[in-house]
């Protein structure tokens, strides 16, 4: 993938400060993906669909799932 393609993929129509705040919310709320998405959408409509925010929501949700699986397997032993 060329630099031009990457720049277009992550080009945002929202200010970087707003995207950074949304990413922070996504990571702080961990496994509560629906709640995080609603809170982000309350900040600015469509912000939850921004590529960087989507990636942060997915990452936060996946990390929480991995932690829960690890905790459950430790509890079973």
């Amino acid at each position: 993938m060329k630099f031009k393609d990457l720049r277009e993929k992550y080009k945002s129509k929202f200010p970087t400060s707003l995207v950074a705040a949304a990413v922070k919310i996504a990571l702080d709320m961990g496994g509560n993906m629906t709640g995080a998405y609603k809170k982000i959408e309350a900040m600015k409509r469509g912000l939850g669909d921004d590529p960087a925010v989507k990636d942060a929501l997915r990452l936060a949700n996946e990390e929480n799932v991995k932690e829960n699986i690890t905790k459950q397997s430790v509890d079973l032993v």
Side-chain angles (χ1 to χ4, degrees):
M1 191 177 278
K2 294 183 178 184
F3 177 75
K4 193 179 224 182
D5 297 332
L6 284 172
R7 185 177 58 202
E8 285 299 315
K9 181 179 178 184
Y10 289 104
K11 185 177 179 183
S12 177
K13 60 182 178 180
F14 301 104
T16 54
S17 60
L18 199 57
V19 173
V23 168
K24 184 176 183 329
I25 290 171
L27 296 176
D28 287 345
M29 293 190 76
N32 187 2
M33 190 170 181
T34 304
Y37 185 82
K38 286 181 180 182
K39 196 170 190 179
I40 291 168
E41 284 291 309
M43 291 170 55
K44 185 78 173 175
R45 189 169 183 201
L47 183 59
D49 297 325
D50 186 78
V53 177
K54 263 187 182 178
D55 289 343
L57 284 166
R58 182 184 47 78
L59 179 69
N61 194 44
E62 287 177 357
E63 285 180 358
N64 195 326
V65 169
K66 288 178 186 176
E67 287 176 8
N68 286 340
I69 290 172
T70 305
K71 286 179 184 177
Q72 287 175 356
S73 62
V74 169
D75 290 340
L76 293 175
V77 175

